[in-house]
Amino acid sequence: MKNHTLCTFALIGLILTWSNVVSGEEVKRKLRIICFGAHPDDCELQVGGVAAMWSARGHKVKLVSVTNGDIGHWREAGGPLASRRTKEVEAASKILGATAEVLDIHDGELLPSLENRRTITRLIREWKADIVMGPRPNDYHPDHRYTGILVQDAAYMVTVPFFCPDTPHLKSNPVFLYYPDGFQKPNPFQPDIAVAIDGVIEKRLDALDTLESQFYEGGANGSADLIPSEPAKQKERKLEVRARFQSRYESLANRFRPKLVEFYGEEKARGVKYAEAFEICEYGRRPNAEELKKLFPFFDK
Ligand SMILES: [Zn+2]
């Protein structure tokens, strides 16, 4: 009798464990996403909308700036600018529900070195990433290009046990994705997925509002002329900057409309106003359409 009761408990326990595994692994498992940008504003510009959507569903998003942005202003530079920009992206990430990290590498001086390859590899492993994002390596800015190269260089190494053996390697290779850009040579950006961000557009624009040094003040190529002294004019300037970004995501929706149709259907896609899009990197895991929809769980509603 006693043995029989024990067996029954063991059986119930086994069933419960199994259902936890099923719900934990296949239904409720939270995704882990790590995004790399060269400067403290690049990730926020490229993936802020989708980051906010993942975060709202309990998935974990980290936005990493590979340089500290310490020459990205016309009036100020060095440590004080780096710390100002770190605070800006921390505020942006708070709005988006993401985690921000800024690496202490000088702006304008990023190299695809072995040391940096190790750093990027460790960050991806430590985050236990399912998805890794970065720029394509044919961008105009050397820091953007080398961020792209460094992420590509890590795309296989994250799975190799004896590369950086101090940080446990990933058993499953993440999916690597590129942000869109307008460069045509040697090959243009080709979207594999487009996501409507209409539901989070205000939050997305609020996050960009916090990056004052870059957009309101104009960053490296700005000037004192951009910043009015009267409060009414300042407010006008803020709205102007916000409107510029609003139209940026509107033009992405228009540019990638055919891809939106593939994911949302003709009718729904026609109504999408704002979007973000991504291209699957040939390195890393190559997801099929079904897996892509699990990684971007936004198409049911
Ligand atoms: Zn940048």
Side-chain angles (χ1 to χ4, degrees):
M1 189 63 188
K2 212 175 175 184
N3 276 349
H4 181 243
T5 312
L6 272 177
C7 280
T8 311
F9 277 126
L11 190 65
I12 291 170
L14 197 69
I15 291 166
L16 284 176
T17 311
W18 170 246
S19 60
N20 278 345
V21 167
V22 169
S23 60
E25 288 302 308
E26 290 178 10
V27 183
K28 288 185 184 159
R29 199 177 76 78
K30 295 302 178 195
L31 296 166
R32 303 187 62 84
I33 301 104
I34 189 164
C35 306
F36 293 92
H39 307 110
D41 69 347
D42 287 317
C43 290
E44 293 74 12
L45 277 170
Q46 295 283 18
V47 68
V50 176
M53 290 164 69
W54 271 317
S55 302
R57 285 161 177 79
H59 305 295
K60 301 291 173 208
V61 182
K62 184 169 190 177
L63 308 180
V64 179
S65 174
V66 180
T67 77
N68 61 19
D70 60 356
I71 58 164
H73 203 274
W74 49 272
R75 182 187 58 209
E76 56 204 71
L81 178 61
S83 102
R84 182 183 180 200
R85 296 189 66 183
T86 299
K87 287 194 185 85
E88 287 179 346
V89 288
E90 282 170 354
S93 269
K94 205 170 167 191
I95 294 172
L96 300 171
T99 301
E101 180 165 348
V102 177
L103 303 186
D104 200 14
I105 295 172
H106 289 305
D107 187 345
E109 299 184 11
L110 182 67
L111 288 173
S113 64
L114 178 56
E115 186 194 357
N116 290 335
R117 185 192 302 168
R118 288 185 176 131
T119 302
I120 301 298
T121 300
R122 287 190 182 108
L123 281 165
I124 296 169
R125 288 177 175 179
E126 283 162 1
W127 196 250
K128 298 183 173 60
D130 299 295
I131 299 175
V132 181
M133 291 193 173
R136 297 198 308 146
N138 50 332
D139 196 283
Y140 77 104
H141 194 301
D143 291 343
H144 294 192
R145 278 204 297 281
Y146 296 138
T147 298
I149 295 281
L150 284 163
V151 173
Q152 284 186 342
D153 286 354
Y156 169 61
M157 302 315 284
V158 291
T159 66
V160 176
F162 288 102
F163 183 71
C164 295
D166 55 6
T167 312
H169 68 284
L170 298 181
K171 303 251 166 47
S172 165
N173 205 353
V175 171
F176 287 72
L177 296 160
Y178 295 123
Y179 309 130
D181 59 59
F183 300 101
Q184 301 295 308
K185 296 173 185 174
N187 57 302
F189 172 87
Q190 290 178 300
D192 288 300
I193 184 160
V195 181
I197 58 162
D198 296 30
V200 293
I201 188 67
E202 294 304 323
K203 191 188 266 197
R204 200 213 187 304
L205 297 175
D206 289 347
L208 291 176
D209 280 349
T210 67
L211 309 176
E212 279 202 345
S213 69
Q214 299 309 293
F215 307 129
Y216 180 74
E217 296 175 14
N221 299 127
S223 72
D225 301 338
L226 289 176
I227 311 164
S229 49
E230 299 157 45
K233 294 263 180 204
Q234 286 171 355
K235 206 176 162 193
E236 214 173 275
R237 161 95 185 128
K238 281 199 169 155
L239 290 172
E240 183 189 294
V241 171
R242 197 177 170 95
R244 207 173 67 210
F245 285 121
Q246 194 166 333
S247 64
R248 173 191 174 119
Y249 301 109
E250 211 170 341
S251 44
L252 286 179
N254 290 332
R255 179 175 160 200
F256 301 124
R257 189 78 58 195
K259 197 45 78 173
L260 287 167
V261 170
E262 273 179 43
F263 281 86
Y264 292 93
E266 185 79 44
E267 199 187 317
K268 217 167 168 188
R270 253 203 318 268
V272 173
K273 276 188 84 175
Y274 310 104
E276 287 173 6
F278 308 97
E279 177 177 341
I280 299 166
C281 171
E282 287 178 298
Y283 320 141
R285 194 167 75 251
R286 306 286 301 274
N288 58 24
E290 199 187 330
E291 193 193 350
L292 214 47
K293 283 180 182 171
K294 281 185 185 158
L295 295 172
F296 290 80
F298 311 127
F299 302 104
D300 297 338
K301 294 169 196 169

